[in-house]
Amino acid sequence: MTTMLRRSLSSKAARKVAVLPGDGIGPEVMKEALKVLKRTAELFPKCAMTFEHGNIGGAGFDAHGEHFPAVTKALCERSDAILFGSVGGPVQEQHMPKWKDCEKNSLLGLRKAFDLAVNVRPAKVYPTLAHCSPLRSELLKDGVDMVIIRELLGGIYFGEHTTEGDSAKDVCTYTVAQIRRPLEFAFQAAKGRKGKLTVVDKANVLDTSRLWRKVATEMAKDHPEVTMDFMYVDNAAMQLIKAPASFDVICTENMFGDILSDAASVLPGSLGLMPSASLGSKLYLYEPSGGSAPDIAGKGVANPAAQILCGAMMLRYSFGEEAAAAAIEAAVDQAILSGVLTGDIAPPGTKSVSTSVFGDAVVAAMKA
């Protein structure tokens, strides 16, 4: 396994998890994720964990006058993984100090502090929730289950940005070292799935993309178990809609990954089903792909599936506990299959359940 996958801490009596619920629905869905993780530890004694809560985002501003307080950073530094909720407030309040640059200060602060260079976002369409997907059913019949791996700290977002008179410039730069990190994880991820890796670029135009192809081609020699192909980003965007079942693992640079992962996130029909992970050199962070949804905060209707599945990703990637991670994922599958659905995924005219009832159903499914 690659270094990024060798984060198992099985020798420790209990893993330390920094819990950062954040704002909006964050505390509600986090409560359910912790409920499931505590049940997991009962079933899998090696998964013993201790949880310490910290403030971030608007909650951090309220408690310490800043979005990413030093005390929260210190909590993360002494932890083995970060379980993150969501940050941000109502759109009409974005000008207020509590919310101005809240997401930027919180998330970019975490990425910078812990070298979170690789983002992992699964996108799975549950067969029983095909009605939620914006795609026609015939496009989903072969099963949609992909993972998009995005480089997070390089590319045009982090290049030189200048404007002079009527001219503006944004520079895209990549090094071989930056490219190898997400690709190494992608090759390893593909080995644990269907064995197919698609590297997305724009190599017919961009030198940075040609460098990505060169590095990927060289690395592929060390991973003969994986079938690798290349795809231009414009074609990849089309194929995500036309043939989403054709993808297994996608790896790409920062901006392309930003766009494609957002496009893929709508395929399951709800962001409430979409977990993600950001992987650093020493510490990994896990967060739902959706936002803080302040409009439904406190109503007990938010879908906690993504936050619960973040716990499964944490067990797999930070602690090397594959069986426990798979048990959580199977329990979420079972809850959904049995018709325990929150309002965002319930068919029209059917009864939906609350946030806590969904969490209870996942815990109940784990008893088997």
Side-chain angles (χ1 to χ4, degrees):
M1 283 187 139
T2 177
T3 301
M4 295 198 98
L5 288 174
R6 275 200 309 255
R7 294 299 175 198
S8 174
L9 301 170
S10 56
S11 62
K12 294 194 174 185
R15 289 70 174 254
K16 298 178 182 178
V17 179
V19 179
L20 311 181
D23 309 314
I25 63 171
E28 299 169 62
V29 296
M30 185 67 76
K31 180 180 179 181
E32 303 310 309
L34 295 180
K35 181 193 301 182
V36 172
L37 284 171
K38 289 171 183 176
R39 175 57 181 160
T40 306
E42 293 173 358
L43 295 172
F44 298 87
K46 289 196 304 179
C47 294
M49 291 163 278
T50 61
F51 304 102
E52 187 174 353
H53 285 63
N55 294 307
I56 199 164
F61 192 90
D62 284 343
H64 303 282
E66 53 186 330
H67 296 123
F68 184 29
V71 65
T72 301
K73 181 181 178 183
L75 163 62
C76 295
E77 287 173 338
R78 63 176 179 268
S79 300
D80 300 314
I82 304 171
L83 198 56
F84 185 91
S86 54
V87 294
V91 174
Q92 65 272 21
E93 297 180 11
Q94 292 303 300
H95 63 286
M96 299 174 62
K98 178 177 178 179
W99 302 121
K100 183 176 173 59
D101 295 327
C102 176
E103 293 184 47
K104 176 182 177 182
N105 294 337
S106 303
L107 290 171
L108 293 188
L110 282 162
R111 289 177 187 174
K112 181 178 179 181
F114 300 109
D115 186 35
L116 303 178
V118 179
N119 183 251
V120 182
R121 284 179 69 168
K124 173 182 176 180
V125 177
Y126 292 82
T128 56
L129 299 181
H131 63 274
C132 294
S133 178
L135 299 184
R136 299 193 310 270
S137 58
E138 57 263 35
L139 297 176
L140 308 174
K141 61 182 176 60
D142 294 328
V144 176
D145 186 356
M146 71 183 78
V147 175
I148 298 179
I149 296 170
R150 166 191 170 194
E151 198 285 324
L152 273 182
L153 297 179
I156 199 168
Y157 290 171
F158 288 84
E160 177 188 358
H161 307 288
T162 59
T163 300
E164 296 181 6
D166 295 334
S167 176
K169 178 172 65 175
D170 298 289
V171 178
C172 182
T173 303
Y174 266 107
T175 67
V176 169
Q178 285 176 311
I179 295 169
R180 288 187 63 88
R181 289 181 72 179
L183 279 171
E184 182 62 26
F185 184 87
F187 278 111
Q188 297 294 345
K191 291 177 185 177
R193 292 171 55 86
K194 299 175 184 176
K196 181 183 178 184
L197 170 61
T198 301
V199 179
V200 173
D201 58 36
K202 194 64 175 171
N204 56 335
V205 177
L206 303 176
D207 272 14
T208 48
S209 285
R210 286 188 275 270
L211 183 61
W212 270 78
R213 286 207 177 193
K214 178 183 178 182
V215 174
T217 300
E218 292 173 351
M219 294 178 66
K221 299 173 185 177
D222 297 325
H223 304 281
E225 313 96 314
V226 177
T227 299
M228 183 185 70
D229 63 359
F230 296 101
M231 187 176 291
Y232 294 147
V233 64
D234 43 355
N235 186 29
M238 289 191 292
Q239 298 307 319
L240 276 177
I241 307 304
K242 290 177 57 180
S246 66
F247 292 106
D248 182 24
V249 178
I250 296 173
C251 187
T252 190
E253 60 101 70
N254 202 345
M255 183 172 70
F256 296 162
D258 189 6
I259 296 168
L260 293 179
S261 60
D262 280 351
S265 72
V266 305
L267 300 182
S270 172
L271 285 173
L273 299 168
M274 298 284 294
S276 75
S278 294
L279 314 180
S281 52
K282 295 182 179 179
L283 193 65
Y284 298 172
L285 176 145
Y286 304 88
E287 64 171 315
S289 296
S292 60
D295 56 319
I296 61 170
K299 297 181 180 180
V301 299
N303 188 344
Q307 190 76 70
I308 292 170
L309 291 169
C310 284
M313 294 184 78
M314 178 180 72
L315 289 171
R316 174 174 293 119
Y317 296 136
S318 284
F319 304 147
E321 299 291 349
E322 176 61 33
I328 292 177
E329 291 164 347
V332 171
D333 286 355
Q334 180 58 40
I336 291 173
L337 184 63
S338 64
V340 181
L341 307 174
T342 48
D344 57 319
I345 54 177
T350 63
K351 184 179 179 180
S352 60
V353 304
S354 68
T355 305
S356 61
V357 168
F358 186 91
D360 290 342
V362 175
V363 170
M366 294 192 71
K367 291 181 179 179

